[in-house]
Amino acid sequence: MSRTGPRRSESIRVAVLNAADDLLVEQGFAATTIEGIATRAGVAKQTIYRWWKSKVEILLDALEDDALEGLAWAEPAGTPVEDLVTHLHRVADFFQEPAGQVLQALLGNAQLDQDAAVALREGFLRGQRERDLVGLGAIVERHTGKAPDREHLGRLADLLLGPIYYRVLVFGAPADKELGEAAAHLVLRSTD
């Protein structure tokens, strides 16, 4: 059972999430409406309201699905620094994809809508933070030979990911590969 109604059809769910992603990229957050999403997905507006309360909920659902793959930490394939650089490149690339644009729009909207801010922080951002701490923790442990303290690991995650978010969200510019490489080297050097 869903949060607000009967069991969802997976094909309709995917159609709605894809429609929301597409419309947001094409016309921006403000112009994306439930009516537009319903039309693009080929479903009734009532179907959407049965499963989601707002476009923010739809976009959060889409972001969760997309980020599980797009921001996933890969299995070890090289040295700790190589794996960390590879992950940071994935994060930078994610922001250039439709899913990254959804995240940017939701973060922007969260500055104006307290309920949306809480939903974003308590849902997606909290879950992604946990995934980031686990992924980074595994790399740091491979690099140093010991498990890092969780509080210290949180600071390392901030130092590592903060520059990418800053470049994208404050300046609206893509995070270049050199930024990721510099951040990875600095963070791992600080654990020596």
PDB file of all heavy atoms in Angstrom, residues 16-26 37 58-59 62-63 66 98-99 102:
ATOM      1  N   VAL A  16       4.781   8.872 -14.349  1.00  0.00           N
ATOM      2  CA  VAL A  16       4.612  10.135 -13.614  1.00  0.00           C
ATOM      3  C   VAL A  16       5.980  10.707 -13.228  1.00  0.00           C
ATOM      4  O   VAL A  16       6.233  11.905 -13.404  1.00  0.00           O
ATOM      5  CB  VAL A  16       3.708   9.933 -12.380  1.00  0.00           C
ATOM      6  CG1 VAL A  16       3.749  11.147 -11.458  1.00  0.00           C
ATOM      7  CG2 VAL A  16       2.270   9.632 -12.816  1.00  0.00           C
ATOM      8  N   LEU A  17       6.869   9.875 -12.710  1.00  0.00           N
ATOM      9  CA  LEU A  17       8.192  10.353 -12.303  1.00  0.00           C
ATOM     10  C   LEU A  17       8.976  10.870 -13.507  1.00  0.00           C
ATOM     11  O   LEU A  17       9.617  11.924 -13.422  1.00  0.00           O
ATOM     12  CB  LEU A  17       8.971   9.250 -11.586  1.00  0.00           C
ATOM     13  CG  LEU A  17       8.356   8.723 -10.289  1.00  0.00           C
ATOM     14  CD1 LEU A  17       9.257   7.653  -9.666  1.00  0.00           C
ATOM     15  CD2 LEU A  17       8.062   9.821  -9.299  1.00  0.00           C
ATOM     16  N   ASN A  18       8.925  10.157 -14.611  1.00  0.00           N
ATOM     17  CA  ASN A  18       9.619  10.613 -15.818  1.00  0.00           C
ATOM     18  C   ASN A  18       9.024  11.914 -16.344  1.00  0.00           C
ATOM     19  O   ASN A  18       9.756  12.814 -16.772  1.00  0.00           O
ATOM     20  CB  ASN A  18       9.578   9.539 -16.908  1.00  0.00           C
ATOM     21  CG  ASN A  18      10.486   8.369 -16.596  1.00  0.00           C
ATOM     22  OD1 ASN A  18      11.413   8.474 -15.798  1.00  0.00           O
ATOM     23  ND2 ASN A  18      10.204   7.234 -17.203  1.00  0.00           N
ATOM     24  N   ALA A  19       7.698  12.024 -16.316  1.00  0.00           N
ATOM     25  CA  ALA A  19       7.041  13.253 -16.769  1.00  0.00           C
ATOM     26  C   ALA A  19       7.462  14.430 -15.898  1.00  0.00           C
ATOM     27  O   ALA A  19       7.740  15.525 -16.406  1.00  0.00           O
ATOM     28  CB  ALA A  19       5.526  13.078 -16.742  1.00  0.00           C
ATOM     29  N   ALA A  20       7.513  14.219 -14.588  1.00  0.00           N
ATOM     30  CA  ALA A  20       7.915  15.298 -13.673  1.00  0.00           C
ATOM     31  C   ALA A  20       9.352  15.730 -13.945  1.00  0.00           C
ATOM     32  O   ALA A  20       9.644  16.932 -14.021  1.00  0.00           O
ATOM     33  CB  ALA A  20       7.750  14.840 -12.222  1.00  0.00           C
ATOM     34  N   ASP A  21      10.256  14.760 -14.100  1.00  0.00           N
ATOM     35  CA  ASP A  21      11.657  15.074 -14.432  1.00  0.00           C
ATOM     36  C   ASP A  21      11.745  15.879 -15.720  1.00  0.00           C
ATOM     37  O   ASP A  21      12.421  16.910 -15.782  1.00  0.00           O
ATOM     38  CB  ASP A  21      12.463  13.780 -14.634  1.00  0.00           C
ATOM     39  CG  ASP A  21      13.034  13.196 -13.361  1.00  0.00           C
ATOM     40  OD1 ASP A  21      12.915  13.815 -12.300  1.00  0.00           O
ATOM     41  OD2 ASP A  21      13.613  12.090 -13.452  1.00  0.00           O
ATOM     42  N   ASP A  22      11.064  15.385 -16.754  1.00  0.00           N
ATOM     43  CA  ASP A  22      11.134  16.042 -18.064  1.00  0.00           C
ATOM     44  C   ASP A  22      10.606  17.469 -18.011  1.00  0.00           C
ATOM     45  O   ASP A  22      11.233  18.392 -18.543  1.00  0.00           O
ATOM     46  CB  ASP A  22      10.342  15.246 -19.105  1.00  0.00           C
ATOM     47  CG  ASP A  22      10.969  13.893 -19.427  1.00  0.00           C
ATOM     48  OD1 ASP A  22      12.139  13.666 -19.049  1.00  0.00           O
ATOM     49  OD2 ASP A  22      10.270  13.065 -20.047  1.00  0.00           O
ATOM     50  N   LEU A  23       9.457  17.655 -17.383  1.00  0.00           N
ATOM     51  CA  LEU A  23       8.867  18.992 -17.319  1.00  0.00           C
ATOM     52  C   LEU A  23       9.735  19.951 -16.514  1.00  0.00           C
ATOM     53  O   LEU A  23       9.894  21.114 -16.887  1.00  0.00           O
ATOM     54  CB  LEU A  23       7.448  18.931 -16.745  1.00  0.00           C
ATOM     55  CG  LEU A  23       6.405  18.320 -17.672  1.00  0.00           C
ATOM     56  CD1 LEU A  23       5.088  18.118 -16.938  1.00  0.00           C
ATOM     57  CD2 LEU A  23       6.205  19.179 -18.912  1.00  0.00           C
ATOM     58  N   LEU A  24      10.296  19.468 -15.434  1.00  0.00           N
ATOM     59  CA  LEU A  24      11.151  20.345 -14.637  1.00  0.00           C
ATOM     60  C   LEU A  24      12.350  20.810 -15.461  1.00  0.00           C
ATOM     61  O   LEU A  24      12.691  21.991 -15.447  1.00  0.00           O
ATOM     62  CB  LEU A  24      11.631  19.633 -13.377  1.00  0.00           C
ATOM     63  CG  LEU A  24      12.463  20.551 -12.491  1.00  0.00           C
ATOM     64  CD1 LEU A  24      11.931  20.555 -11.084  1.00  0.00           C
ATOM     65  CD2 LEU A  24      13.910  20.166 -12.511  1.00  0.00           C
ATOM     66  N   VAL A  25      12.967  19.907 -16.200  1.00  0.00           N
ATOM     67  CA  VAL A  25      14.124  20.272 -17.021  1.00  0.00           C
ATOM     68  C   VAL A  25      13.706  21.230 -18.132  1.00  0.00           C
ATOM     69  O   VAL A  25      14.414  22.192 -18.428  1.00  0.00           O
ATOM     70  CB  VAL A  25      14.803  19.010 -17.594  1.00  0.00           C
ATOM     71  CG1 VAL A  25      15.845  19.359 -18.641  1.00  0.00           C
ATOM     72  CG2 VAL A  25      15.445  18.199 -16.469  1.00  0.00           C
ATOM     73  N   GLU A  26      12.560  20.982 -18.740  1.00  0.00           N
ATOM     74  CA  GLU A  26      12.105  21.799 -19.873  1.00  0.00           C
ATOM     75  C   GLU A  26      11.635  23.188 -19.475  1.00  0.00           C
ATOM     76  O   GLU A  26      11.894  24.156 -20.185  1.00  0.00           O
ATOM     77  CB  GLU A  26      10.955  21.091 -20.601  1.00  0.00           C
ATOM     78  CG  GLU A  26      11.366  19.850 -21.327  1.00  0.00           C
ATOM     79  CD  GLU A  26      10.174  19.030 -21.811  1.00  0.00           C
ATOM     80  OE1 GLU A  26       9.037  19.563 -21.855  1.00  0.00           O
ATOM     81  OE2 GLU A  26      10.383  17.853 -22.154  1.00  0.00           O
ATOM     82  N   ILE A  37       2.085  17.440 -15.296  1.00  0.00           N
ATOM     83  CA  ILE A  37       2.654  16.108 -15.081  1.00  0.00           C
ATOM     84  C   ILE A  37       1.638  15.042 -15.494  1.00  0.00           C
ATOM     85  O   ILE A  37       1.978  14.081 -16.192  1.00  0.00           O
ATOM     86  CB  ILE A  37       3.090  15.919 -13.610  1.00  0.00           C
ATOM     87  CG1 ILE A  37       4.245  16.865 -13.278  1.00  0.00           C
ATOM     88  CG2 ILE A  37       3.478  14.465 -13.347  1.00  0.00           C
ATOM     89  CD1 ILE A  37       4.574  16.960 -11.787  1.00  0.00           C
ATOM     90  N   ILE A  58       6.355  14.251  -5.661  1.00  0.00           N
ATOM     91  CA  ILE A  58       6.669  13.518  -6.886  1.00  0.00           C
ATOM     92  C   ILE A  58       8.151  13.665  -7.209  1.00  0.00           C
ATOM     93  O   ILE A  58       8.843  12.681  -7.508  1.00  0.00           O
ATOM     94  CB  ILE A  58       5.824  14.025  -8.072  1.00  0.00           C
ATOM     95  CG1 ILE A  58       4.340  13.773  -7.807  1.00  0.00           C
ATOM     96  CG2 ILE A  58       6.261  13.357  -9.370  1.00  0.00           C
ATOM     97  CD1 ILE A  58       3.416  14.479  -8.792  1.00  0.00           C
ATOM     98  N   LEU A  59       8.653  14.882  -7.153  1.00  0.00           N
ATOM     99  CA  LEU A  59      10.060  15.127  -7.479  1.00  0.00           C
ATOM    100  C   LEU A  59      10.998  14.456  -6.478  1.00  0.00           C
ATOM    101  O   LEU A  59      12.058  13.952  -6.853  1.00  0.00           O
ATOM    102  CB  LEU A  59      10.327  16.625  -7.587  1.00  0.00           C
ATOM    103  CG  LEU A  59       9.661  17.291  -8.793  1.00  0.00           C
ATOM    104  CD1 LEU A  59       9.722  18.815  -8.668  1.00  0.00           C
ATOM    105  CD2 LEU A  59      10.291  16.825 -10.096  1.00  0.00           C
ATOM    106  N   ALA A  62      11.100  10.852  -7.462  1.00  0.00           N
ATOM    107  CA  ALA A  62      11.948  10.699  -8.652  1.00  0.00           C
ATOM    108  C   ALA A  62      13.428  10.813  -8.278  1.00  0.00           C
ATOM    109  O   ALA A  62      14.263  10.032  -8.747  1.00  0.00           O
ATOM    110  CB  ALA A  62      11.579  11.746  -9.696  1.00  0.00           C
ATOM    111  N   LEU A  63      13.738  11.775  -7.434  1.00  0.00           N
ATOM    112  CA  LEU A  63      15.127  11.982  -7.013  1.00  0.00           C
ATOM    113  C   LEU A  63      15.660  10.766  -6.274  1.00  0.00           C
ATOM    114  O   LEU A  63      16.791  10.329  -6.516  1.00  0.00           O
ATOM    115  CB  LEU A  63      15.226  13.231  -6.137  1.00  0.00           C
ATOM    116  CG  LEU A  63      16.607  13.558  -5.585  1.00  0.00           C
ATOM    117  CD1 LEU A  63      17.602  13.806  -6.709  1.00  0.00           C
ATOM    118  CD2 LEU A  63      16.515  14.767  -4.658  1.00  0.00           C
ATOM    119  N   ASP A  66      16.487   8.054  -8.823  1.00  0.00           N
ATOM    120  CA  ASP A  66      17.627   8.412  -9.673  1.00  0.00           C
ATOM    121  C   ASP A  66      18.937   8.450  -8.893  1.00  0.00           C
ATOM    122  O   ASP A  66      19.977   8.038  -9.403  1.00  0.00           O
ATOM    123  CB  ASP A  66      17.391   9.766 -10.346  1.00  0.00           C
ATOM    124  CG  ASP A  66      16.245   9.728 -11.345  1.00  0.00           C
ATOM    125  OD1 ASP A  66      15.897   8.635 -11.831  1.00  0.00           O
ATOM    126  OD2 ASP A  66      15.702  10.809 -11.630  1.00  0.00           O
ATOM    127  N   PRO A  98      19.350  15.300 -15.622  1.00  0.00           N
ATOM    128  CA  PRO A  98      18.024  15.734 -15.158  1.00  0.00           C
ATOM    129  C   PRO A  98      17.808  15.506 -13.658  1.00  0.00           C
ATOM    130  O   PRO A  98      17.247  16.360 -12.978  1.00  0.00           O
ATOM    131  CB  PRO A  98      17.061  14.902 -16.007  1.00  0.00           C
ATOM    132  CG  PRO A  98      17.806  14.697 -17.289  1.00  0.00           C
ATOM    133  CD  PRO A  98      19.249  14.508 -16.856  1.00  0.00           C
ATOM    134  N   ALA A  99      18.278  14.377 -13.131  1.00  0.00           N
ATOM    135  CA  ALA A  99      18.106  14.112 -11.696  1.00  0.00           C
ATOM    136  C   ALA A  99      18.824  15.158 -10.852  1.00  0.00           C
ATOM    137  O   ALA A  99      18.319  15.585  -9.815  1.00  0.00           O
ATOM    138  CB  ALA A  99      18.612  12.717 -11.346  1.00  0.00           C
ATOM    139  N   VAL A 102      16.788  18.193 -10.790  1.00  0.00           N
ATOM    140  CA  VAL A 102      15.689  18.034  -9.824  1.00  0.00           C
ATOM    141  C   VAL A 102      16.194  18.367  -8.427  1.00  0.00           C
ATOM    142  O   VAL A 102      15.540  19.105  -7.679  1.00  0.00           O
ATOM    143  CB  VAL A 102      15.094  16.605  -9.883  1.00  0.00           C
ATOM    144  CG1 VAL A 102      14.151  16.350  -8.719  1.00  0.00           C
ATOM    145  CG2 VAL A 102      14.368  16.381 -11.213  1.00  0.00           C
TER     146      VAL A 102
END
